[in-house]
Amino acid sequence: MNILIIGGGGRESAIAWAVSRSPLVRRLFISPGNGGTLNYGENVILPLVYPFDEVIEFCEDAEIDLVIVGPETPLVDGIVDCVRRVGIRIFGPSQKAAQLEGSKAFMKEFLARNKIPTARFKIFDDAKEASEYVTRHNTPFVVKTDGLAAGKGAIVNKTVRETLDSINRILVKREFGDAGNRIVIEDLLDGDEISIFILTDGRDYKWLASAQDHKRIFDGDEGPNTGGMGAYAPVTFLDDKLKQLLDENIVAPTIEGMAREGNPYTGILYIGLMITRSGPSVLEYNVRLGDPEAQVVLPLIETDFLTAVWACMHEELGRLSLEYYDGYCTGVVAAAEGYPDKYRKGDPITGDLSDEPDCQVFHAGTVSAPDGKIVTSGGRVLCVSARGDTLENSIARAYQKMKNIRFEGMFYRKDIGAKGLFSQPE
Ligand code: AMP
Ligand code: GLY
């Protein structure tokens, strides 16, 4: 098969790595890819503009058998519908189903209709009404833009004043543009945050894995939010009882609800959850793998990933038996100086970037310079992912590899996975 992967970050490096190992692959293309995806296939630049004519033309010329989409924006913009319309296979949700991530208002109303647990909420497009709601309750809230805002659209506030300021920033100052035409105001939840990754053909589903991201820039979950500074999988405190609760109250009702409402969801569904004292609650749906969660989820799947995707696309998921590595995977992100604000670029990366059987270096913000040197080009530069029979061993292995990688201004968190160590089963 000839495969095209859309995207160029660490997540797409992990997808390209997983796909490249499949005996079913003939040629693999990644668009735009990065300095590391060249180890797995060929990079091509294709504009991702509706109605995705360049992508379709490339698929026809290169005889692509399957397109796999990494990031949310093309999915929300309808790439699946456009590519499928001309008879090319593409893995991911339709534009309508991608609304689960594309519109927080759609998602919250879906949850409420289907009685799936989530924080109490209200939707506003008027700043005065939103502010009155907050003042009346006299308590801080989380304020979220309805549309996609590159991971920055959810503002968790500590005070009423901060909450009112968030409303003002989105609805009055329009800091997030049209993504902020409407807002969701929701109650603050307290608990442990986890993510689960579900492969579904719209009817049957299979768990890929669970993971915990580390969103803050500094150790101990301090400092500003980032796209994710590291992750580990699977979540140590997710036992059979909690898994069953999630299946019954959240995963199955989501898949069934989308199908019943005429928007069957196909592809990978990422469910962000808060495990509160009164049970699990949905924080968000994402219509794709996470980044850096993909870098720790995919190495744990022993079954050929492309075979799993193929089964999913042919509604044969019910018959697929997914085999998992019996251990843990930890991924540590190395970022460029300045990230998550303005960051350095163009620094050569030296050291041992080679993949090993139990350890991969997934590039994200890197490019291959004309002389073949790998240089930094993004805020999150790379992610070292390592497997181990225990979480401790996978953490140690990832940090051991990271020690031999260098670039000017490089930094990474030193406590990735530690939150899993405190909550391990006996
Ligand atoms: P979202 O994009 O909706 O997942 O929000 C981004 C992040 O904000 C989440 O990963 C949580 O850490 C935090 N967050 C979102 N909603 C809530 C909530 N209701 N209570 C507490 N934290 C939240
Ligand atoms: N790591 C969070 C995300 O991919 O949305």
Side-chain angles (χ1 to χ4, degrees):
M1 276 196 270
N2 295 333
I3 310 286
L4 169 65
I5 296 170
I6 302 285
R11 165 183 48 215
E12 290 75 26
S13 286
I15 298 172
W17 168 80
V19 168
S20 71
R21 291 153 52 88
S22 173
L24 303 173
V25 179
R26 198 168 55 208
R27 288 185 79 181
L28 170 59
F29 299 91
I30 307 100
S31 177
N34 57 47
T37 52
L38 294 167
N39 298 326
Y40 314 123
E42 302 162 61
N43 291 348
V44 291
I45 306 271
L46 300 169
L48 293 176
V49 185
Y50 183 87
F52 304 96
D53 288 338
E54 283 89 348
V55 174
I56 291 170
E57 211 170 294
F58 176 81
C59 289
E60 285 168 347
D61 290 348
E63 298 180 3
I64 296 295
D65 298 292
L66 173 65
V67 183
I68 300 176
V69 188
E72 63 276 15
T73 305
L75 292 167
V76 170
D77 289 348
I79 191 170
V80 167
D81 311 64
C82 292
V83 170
R84 196 168 281 160
R85 205 173 295 138
V86 296
I88 298 166
R89 278 188 211 91
I90 179 163
F91 179 64
S94 68
Q95 185 169 28
K96 276 193 164 168
Q99 288 286 94
L100 280 184
E101 178 167 3
S103 167
K104 292 269 190 223
F106 173 91
M107 164 228 163
K108 293 294 283 191
E109 284 169 343
F110 169 82
L111 287 165
R113 262 197 314 280
N114 288 280
K115 303 196 168 43
I116 300 170
T118 191
R120 184 181 64 158
F121 70 100
K122 255 188 131 49
I123 299 164
F124 295 95
D125 57 13
D126 182 87
K128 197 161 155 272
E129 285 173 23
S131 303
E132 276 167 13
Y133 175 78
V134 172
T135 312
R136 190 165 65 248
H137 286 85
N138 195 27
T139 171
F141 287 93
V142 183
V143 181
K144 300 181 178 181
T145 61
D146 177 41
L148 293 182
K152 298 197 169 72
I155 311 176
V156 181
N157 300 291
K158 291 204 183 74
T159 62
V160 171
R161 184 185 287 262
E162 263 179 40
T163 311
L164 295 172
D165 184 52
S166 301
I167 294 170
N168 197 40
R169 283 176 56 198
I170 303 173
L171 286 178
V172 180
K173 293 193 193 147
R174 301 190 54 80
E175 276 181 31
F176 299 85
D178 284 349
N181 285 348
R182 284 196 290 179
I183 55 171
V184 171
I185 295 191
E186 70 178 39
D187 290 2
L188 278 155
L189 297 178
D190 193 24
D192 291 309
E193 219 178 312
I194 71 167
S195 309
I196 61 173
F197 297 88
I198 305 294
L199 181 68
T200 175
D201 56 19
R203 191 185 50 197
D204 293 312
Y205 71 87
K206 289 257 149 66
W207 283 61
L208 288 177
S210 58
Q212 278 196 295
D213 191 6
H214 298 60
K215 286 202 166 94
R216 304 295 184 125
I217 188 87
F218 299 128
D219 287 10
D221 289 335
E222 300 282 345
N225 256 323
T226 70
M229 293 299 291
Y232 81 90
V235 175
T236 44
F237 60 85
L238 206 164
D239 55 16
D240 287 346
K241 202 166 139 231
L242 179 55
K243 187 165 179 293
Q244 193 187 343
L245 198 64
L246 293 174
D247 273 325
E248 285 170 6
N249 294 347
I250 291 171
V251 187
T254 300
I255 307 297
E256 282 161 22
M258 289 299 280
R260 197 177 46 249
E261 295 185 3
N263 299 319
Y265 188 97
T266 55
I268 292 172
L269 181 65
Y270 163 154
I271 311 182
L273 300 156
M274 189 74 91
I275 311 299
T276 73
R277 289 225 308 232
S278 55
S281 179
V282 176
L283 287 178
E284 64 173 337
Y285 291 112
N286 292 319
V287 295
R288 50 172 174 85
L289 276 166
D291 189 344
E293 293 93 325
Q295 294 92 307
V296 295
V297 165
L298 294 178
L300 290 176
I301 299 167
E302 296 273 25
T303 305
D304 174 38
F305 181 61
L306 205 48
T307 302
V309 167
W310 198 254
C312 185
M313 298 205 58
H314 292 83
E315 296 185 15
E316 287 170 357
L317 209 47
R319 271 187 280 157
L320 176 84
S321 127
L322 263 187
E323 305 291 330
Y324 305 93
Y325 174 77
D326 184 21
Y328 292 86
C329 189
T330 303
V332 182
V333 169
E337 190 179 307
Y339 179 77
D341 299 321
K342 198 170 154 24
Y343 49 81
R344 288 176 67 104
K345 277 187 199 175
D347 293 303
I349 307 172
T350 56
D352 177 14
L353 299 177
S354 65
D355 284 349
E356 294 171 59
D358 61 344
C359 186
Q360 282 74 44
V361 180
F362 293 123
H363 293 224
T366 75
V367 286
S368 176
D371 61 4
K373 280 204 184 105
I374 299 289
V375 299
T376 65
S377 67
R380 288 189 293 173
V381 174
L382 52 84
C383 174
V384 175
S385 292
R387 294 192 311 189
D389 53 350
T390 62
L391 179 57
E392 284 94 335
N393 288 346
S394 81
I395 294 171
R397 182 79 181 89
Y399 280 108
Q400 181 195 24
K401 181 91 175 175
M402 188 66 101
K403 269 201 203 120
N404 297 318
I405 299 174
R406 269 183 206 90
F407 56 88
E408 195 61 41
M410 165 183 182
F411 73 94
Y412 53 89
R413 275 181 63 161
K414 307 292 186 300
D415 65 343
I416 302 300
K419 63 175 86 173
L421 294 177
F422 300 123
S423 51
Q424 272 199 73
E426 295 299 311

